Every structure is written in C-alpha cells, then in structure tokens.
Amino acid sequence: MRSHIREVQREVQSLKDSREIDDFEIAHNGKHPTVTFLVKGVWYSTPFPSTPRTPYANNFVRQQIRRRIRALNIS
C-alpha cells in the first residue's frame, strides 16, 4: 500500500471518528483508487488520484466526501 493511500485512509478514518460517515472501504476500480463510504445506510463512492499532485491531496479527498454528503441534502 502506498503511503499516499495510507494518508487518505487516515483522513477518511477521521471522518468516521467524527461520525460524518458511518463506514468506509478503499478499493481500486481499474483506473483509480476509490473511497466507498456509508452515509445513513447507503453506500457512495468517490475516486481519488493514486499519486498526490499537491501536498493537499488528502484534504481534497475529505472535501470531496463532504461535498457528496451535502449534495445528498442529508442532515
């Protein structure tokens, strides 16, 4: 496992610890690794790059998950 993917895993784990998401899995869909996360009993996924382009790539994954949750209008 690459260190970047471990960093992403830590970011997503922090979302789980703060109870923004219920559970998550990190998998590979053929082109990109994906984070599959559980919110209110429904699984959603978002891809992320396998190599970081900037030092803020881990934060970007966290923002993508939060945007996806907001788009669902779940409170």
Side-chain angles (χ1 to χ4, degrees):
M1 184 184 279
R2 291 182 161 171
S3 64
H4 167 64
I5 295 175
R6 281 193 299 266
E7 291 294 323
V8 168
Q9 185 173 8
R10 284 188 202 126
E11 291 292 335
V12 180
Q13 182 65 42
S14 71
L15 290 173
K16 183 180 176 186
D17 293 343
S18 67
R19 297 184 181 186
E20 292 182 51
I21 62 175
D22 300 326
D23 198 10
F24 74 94
E25 295 176 351
I26 295 183
H28 201 276
N29 71 356
K31 286 188 171 185
H32 300 288
T34 60
V35 175
T36 306
F37 55 96
L38 179 67
V39 178
K40 303 285 184 180
V42 181
W43 288 93
Y44 300 96
S45 67
T46 185
F48 63 94
S50 59
T51 58
R53 294 188 179 129
T54 68
Y56 307 107
N58 305 332
N59 186 34
F60 178 72
V61 172
R62 182 174 9 142
Q63 289 175 354
Q64 288 296 96
I65 292 172
R66 285 182 174 160
R67 285 183 191 133
R68 189 76 183 262
I69 292 168
R70 276 195 309 255
L72 300 170
N73 293 325
I74 297 175
S75 53

